[in-house]
Amino acid sequence: MKTRAVITALLILLGLAFSCGREKPTVPDGNNNIMLYAVDTSGVQGGWVGIEGATIRVSSSTSQYERVFETGPGGFARLDGLVAGTYMLQAELINMEENYTILGQKELSVLYDPQTDDTVFMDYKKASPLTMNEIYYCGCNYGRFYYYDQFIELYNSSADTLWLDGYIVCRTAQSDDVINIIGLETVDYALAYYVFAFPGESGVTRTVPLAPEEFLVLAGDATNHTAYGGALCVDLRDADWEFFNPLGSDYDAPGVPNLLPLSNYENDFQLNVGRTGVFIATGEEWEYVEHFDPSMNAMKEYIHVPLSTVVDGVEYSSNTTVTTRYLTLRVDAGLAGNGMAKYSATSVQRRFPGLDSNNSTFDFENTQPPSPGWQ
Amino acid sequence: MIRCRMSLLAALAVVAAPVILTAPALGDGIRIESLANARLALEDRDNQINPFDFGRNPAWLHNDYELQFLRFNGSLFETKGDLRREFDPHLINDFFIGVAGNKRLSDRQTVRGYIDYQRLLDREVYRNLEIDQYNDPFYLNDKTTGDFDYYGPRASIDWGFRLVENLWIGAGLDYNLSTGLKQVYTRPQIVHNYSGAILGLAWKPSERWAFGLGYRPVRDQNRTNFAKPDEGYDNVIQGYSGDAIYEVRAFSSYSIGEIEIGHYVDLQGFYMGDDLKAGLIVKGGFSETEVKYNASRQYPKGYWKEDLFDAQLRGRWTPAGMPLAVGFSARYLTNDGWGVRPDFSDVLLYDNPYAMYSAGLGLSYWISAVDLLLIGEYTAEQYDIEVWDNGANLYRKADQLSQTGRFAVEKNISNVYSFRAGYEYTDYPIDRWIKLPRNIDISRVTGGIGAFVNGWKVDLHVEYGLGTADYSDQERQRMGAAVWFTKYMN
């Protein structure tokens, strides 16, 4: 009797050992099937109608996923087999001959939706004619930590000359703590750390022209960097403008006009070689503001730039996912530069000049070698 | 491979580690290995039907082995060839030297220990950045093919103690530590750290019956550390969850850790009659593996769980007065492995249940006139495996019979010299992920010599194995040798 009781107790113990731990989910991942309806709301085709032949670009912000679908008759596209995650969908219809673009975007989070329907509304693109067409930030020589050949290439996609007098070029703040305290999605400004300005006054003077369908190269230092950093580096002697900070020991290339700093730091305009945000604004409004930085336990000076003045913005990151965004989704809903290695002499460039859906994941591709002034 | 020996539980995780890829387990007697591992009907001091030899219950150690010994051992094995899984090394060179001992501390307690130092070279590893890419569905890759060099010690100790008459307790500990470096970009350092304990209880209520209980916690940690490379650019890796979902990570330095923690309980029952000995071990438990990115602020990226049930029966009948032994075995094993991404833990990323049913029969016959031992055995293992990689929308299924036949012969001369030879043939091994090439046959030839020399027992083991596939010219070879120098103290 005692033996039987002991054996029973041991079997119960074995059973308990077998049943511990987390419970297995009952529904499978990868079973999200979306019937997407792409609707043209521009009214050109007579009211709201589904667009056949629209390209549906799907990108995930929770894993490496990029796929392209096309809508069929009635404007429907079936997106099958999506794994659980957050996706950015972009429906686009680009007509190069007639020079119009109809775009629509949607962010979608799915977990287990075997059969769901959704709609993306498309309209004429209302983007600025001035865009950052190419950004080169990653550097070219790891051994020397050489990244001074950075540049930003602007492009005028309009039919008119643009005047950039007083425009500002900004690099965002990069402190996760500060940004999280502020909550970028809850405020109506972008938070800048480096701000450099073109000469003149926006909307008043006319000294900085950018002709239609022309590029404008803004160099960190307008010199031949192959002489200092090696063959992979970029020769920027032909740059149109140069960032120059007279407060520090910055190199000032002779004959190249300068963008000068508004911020009170001594640094040159430098882009992070792995991830940050860059934006341009008209420069009509901005203000100095101090924010508390918990990591430094001190107040730090930043510049608030109203979103209403922001012309274009790009956030980039080597990694697929980021925990804190440096630019509000209202300026850039995606990330450029995914998978780019530091010091690999690679830039991010728009798929074609002027394309601007405000989602860098879809707009940009990694390009090697960098191409300042041309595409 | 090292991982099959490094972790007893990792060995359980592999359904049928292909024989040609697997080195002898540390506890296996060299004589048994030289006899093609034909252990069902083989009478050997390391192969008894009792709670220690069959179930590694340390509580039975004091009863298991009355001799004290000191042993020095060394071995070198090399496996190479293209008949492998995608991320397995093309060549594995495994060298280690060690020392083992068994000592009776008193008339009621015994201790046994082992320690060795291993150098493991994994050559031409395609993309893989883990010590074992196949221990769960979460794995790391870069885009290079490179060599890994691992170095480190392994140790184990067992202690058995008679508490009162017919009741024993025991404890055991296994510990492995190794550090490996990939020789080309991205040059990660892989630190492997395994520790496993065994707490055992044995009770012998009558002369013929014995019962045991074991509790086995394990902790297996693998950490992959990346530092700034010399090549002049960032480390770029892919972190996979299943075979389709992945993240790209670019950094100069980073750390990714994987920790498996498991708990297992086993019940043991043995009948030890004069002619018939049989033992049943029923084991249950689970392990949980968590994959975390970054060193300080860690991000959970993978969760893998295995629920295990394993019932093993083994017996041996040695009729009195006959030079014959008949061995038999049966086994039922189920392992339900499944995984989720922690950010989406309500949906099942990966599901990998399998069941294995096995039966075996062995026969040994001793021709006393010429002091020759003949052994033969046959084992059949039926596998039912399913792999649901939901993230990749992939499904694989295997319903496969794996068969192994062994034949061995041992010639003794004057109880001083022994000459051993064996042949083993395995038809269609399989792994739990169903990623091993299908329809593989493995032939293995073994040989060995044992001799008493100046009070030392010297054993030498050699082997050569060849794996081939029905459908291709790819092969995988294995060859190697091991030597034991044993001094018996009694």
Side-chain angles (χ1 to χ4, degrees), chain A residues 3 6-7 10-11 13-14 16-31 62-65 80-86 110-112 140-143 145 176-177 273-274 318-321 323 338-344, chain B residues 185 203 211-213 228-229 231-234 236 244-252 263-267 282-286 288 290 297 299 301 303 305 307-309 334 336-338 340-341 344-349 351 390-393:
Chain A
T3 304
V6 169
I7 292 172
L10 293 176
L11 287 173
L13 185 67
L14 187 68
L16 286 174
F18 192 63
S19 61
C20 291
R22 280 199 211 179
E23 289 295 314
K24 185 200 277 193
T26 55
V27 294
D29 200 348
N31 199 9
T62 45
S63 65
Q64 184 73 21
Y65 180 91
D80 278 339
L82 298 178
V83 300
T86 301
V110 291
L111 186 67
Y112 179 68
C140 55
N141 189 323
Y142 208 154
F145 294 111
D176 288 14
D177 291 332
V273 295
S318 305
N319 295 326
T320 311
T321 58
T323 51
N338 184 228
M340 185 189 296
K342 294 173 192 149
Y343 302 99
S344 60
Chain B
Y185 174 84
W203 175 44
F211 297 95
L213 171 67
K228 184 186 127 183
E231 278 74 11
Y233 37 84
D234 255 2
V236 180
I245 303 173
Y246 70 99
E247 279 185 45
V248 176
R249 291 261 162 183
F251 43 76
S252 56
H263 300 274
Y264 299 87
V265 173
D266 56 288
L267 305 178
V282 179
K283 183 177 196 171
F286 69 97
E288 294 177 294
E290 288 193 297
R297 190 183 293 181
Y299 306 106
K301 284 293 177 183
Y303 173 86
K305 186 180 181 213
D307 291 310
L308 175 83
F309 178 80
T334 64
D336 184 13
W338 57 272
V340 295
R341 291 178 293 157
F344 308 98
S345 58
D346 291 336
V347 287
L348 185 62
L349 171 72
D351 198 12
N390 294 322
N393 287 301

Side-chain angles (χ1 to χ4, degrees), chain A residues 217-239:
Chain A
V217 177
L218 319 179
D221 289 305
T223 186
N224 180 9
H225 294 275
T226 60
Y228 308 105
L232 289 178
C233 299
V234 184
D235 183 351
L236 289 173
R237 284 176 294 185
D238 292 333

Side-chain angles (χ1 to χ4, degrees), chain A residues 173-182 191 193 265 289-302:
Chain A
Q174 294 183 167
S175 168
D176 288 14
D177 291 332
V178 173
I179 290 169
N180 288 330
I181 289 172
I182 293 172
L191 190 65
Y193 186 71
Y265 299 107
V289 179
E290 286 192 335
H291 287 284
F292 179 70
D293 187 339
S295 63
M296 301 176 67
N297 198 28
M299 301 300 288
K300 202 169 176 183
E301 186 177 275
Y302 296 94

Side-chain angles (χ1 to χ4, degrees), chain A residues 110-334:
Chain A
V110 291
L111 186 67
Y112 179 68
D113 291 305
Q115 188 60 55
T116 188
D117 301 329
D118 215 324
T119 305
V120 58
F121 298 100
M122 305 168 67
D123 200 350
Y124 281 115
K125 175 175 75 82
K126 298 183 180 68
S128 159
L130 180 66
T131 52
M132 289 181 281
N133 189 65
E134 183 176 2
I135 306 172
Y136 170 62
Y137 53 87
C138 75
C140 55
N141 189 323
Y142 208 154
R144 298 178 193 173
F145 294 111
Y146 199 90
Y147 58 92
Y148 307 105
D149 54 343
Q150 294 175 335
F151 69 84
I152 297 169
E153 179 189 76
L154 306 183
Y155 179 72
N156 176 4
S157 60
S158 74
D160 303 312
T161 296
L162 297 174
W163 299 94
L164 306 184
D165 298 62
Y167 273 49
I168 55 177
V169 184
C170 313
R171 198 208 74 184
T172 62
Q174 294 183 167
S175 168
D176 288 14
D177 291 332
V178 173
I179 290 169
N180 288 330
I181 289 172
I182 293 172
L184 282 187
E185 297 305 328
T186 65
V187 297
D188 60 356
Y189 58 82
L191 190 65
Y193 186 71
Y194 292 140
V195 179
F196 281 60
F198 285 100
E201 189 173 346
S202 182
V204 178
T205 61
R206 288 193 165 191
T207 59
V208 188
L210 178 55
E213 300 184 5
E214 288 291 325
F215 298 102
L216 196 73
V217 177
L218 319 179
D221 289 305
T223 186
N224 180 9
H225 294 275
T226 60
Y228 308 105
L232 289 178
C233 299
V234 184
D235 183 351
L236 289 173
R237 284 176 294 185
D238 292 333
D240 302 294
W241 289 82
E242 179 188 50
F243 295 99
F244 175 66
N245 191 338
L247 301 175
S249 54
D250 191 12
Y251 169 78
D252 187 9
V256 181
N258 294 329
L259 288 95
L260 297 172
L262 297 181
S263 41
N264 295 318
Y265 299 107
E266 296 180 356
N267 307 60
D268 195 4
F269 187 90
Q270 292 175 339
L271 299 173
N272 190 297
V273 295
R275 69 160 297 214
T276 195
V278 193
F279 61 94
I280 49 180
T282 61
E284 293 163 301
E285 286 183 57
W286 51 268
E287 63 174 334
Y288 294 113
V289 179
E290 286 192 335
H291 287 284
F292 179 70
D293 187 339
S295 63
M296 301 176 67
N297 198 28
M299 301 300 288
K300 202 169 176 183
E301 186 177 275
Y302 296 94
I303 292 180
H304 286 188
V305 180
L307 291 180
S308 58
T309 67
V310 173
V311 174
D312 187 26
V314 176
E315 183 164 348
Y316 60 81
S317 170
S318 305
N319 295 326
T320 311
T321 58
V322 294
T323 51
T324 302
R325 291 194 61 92
Y326 295 160
L327 267 177
T328 169
L329 296 169
R330 290 164 284 175
V331 174
D332 185 359

Side-chain angles (χ1 to χ4, degrees), chain B residues 182-404:
Chain B
K182 185 174 183 177
Q183 304 299 309
V184 299
Y185 174 84
T186 54
R187 302 183 198 284
Q189 178 200 53
I190 297 175
V191 181
H192 170 81
N193 190 325
Y194 170 84
S195 54
I198 311 167
L199 301 175
L201 185 71
W203 175 44
K204 192 176 182 186
S206 71
E207 191 59 34
R208 294 175 185 275
W209 289 91
F211 297 95
L213 171 67
Y215 167 60
R216 302 163 197 269
V218 297
R219 183 180 186 278
D220 191 1
Q221 174 177 298
N222 294 298
R223 179 163 286 284
T224 305
N225 299 314
F226 297 88
K228 184 186 127 183
D230 301 330
E231 278 74 11
Y233 37 84
D234 255 2
N235 294 305
V236 180
I237 65 163
Q238 295 83 44
Y240 276 85
S241 302
D243 289 340
I245 303 173
Y246 70 99
E247 279 185 45
V248 176
R249 291 261 162 183
F251 43 76
S252 56
S253 62
Y254 206 63
S255 182
I256 295 169
E258 182 179 275
I259 299 177
E260 174 192 356
I261 292 177
H263 300 274
Y264 299 87
V265 173
D266 56 288
L267 305 178
Q268 306 172 337
F270 285 85
Y271 175 79
M272 292 179 282
D274 293 332
D275 294 345
L276 176 66
K277 294 180 175 60
L280 174 67
I281 300 175
V282 179
K283 183 177 196 171
F286 69 97
S287 71
E288 294 177 294
T289 304
E290 288 193 297
V291 181
K292 291 183 175 176
Y293 282 27
N294 209 353
S296 50
R297 190 183 293 181
Q298 294 191 322
Y299 306 106
K301 284 293 177 183
Y303 173 86
W304 173 249
K305 186 180 181 213
E306 293 183 23
D307 291 310
L308 175 83
F309 178 80
D310 188 9
Q312 295 185 71
L313 172 71
R314 190 180 292 177
R316 195 172 297 142
W317 179 55
T318 50
M322 293 181 65
L324 177 72
V326 178
F328 56 92
S329 69
R331 187 175 186 186
Y332 172 64
L333 169 74
T334 64
N335 185 314
D336 184 13
W338 57 272
V340 295
R341 291 178 293 157
D343 290 339
F344 308 98
S345 58
D346 291 336
V347 287
L348 185 62
L349 171 72
Y350 209 96
D351 198 12
N352 180 211
Y354 72 80
M356 189 271 279
Y357 317 83
S358 145
L361 186 66
L363 187 69
S364 70
Y365 190 85
W366 179 49
I367 306 173
S368 58
V370 290
D371 202 353
L372 188 72
L373 182 68
L374 303 174
I375 312 165
E377 74 173 43
Y378 168 81
T379 304
E381 296 174 334
Q382 171 65 37
Y383 292 97
D384 294 331
I385 307 174
E386 287 184 275
V387 180
W388 299 82
D389 186 350
N390 294 322
N393 287 301
L394 289 176
Y395 173 67
R396 298 188 290 276
K397 178 176 171 59
D399 181 358
Q400 183 170 316
L401 182 66
S402 176
Q403 305 176 83
T404 302

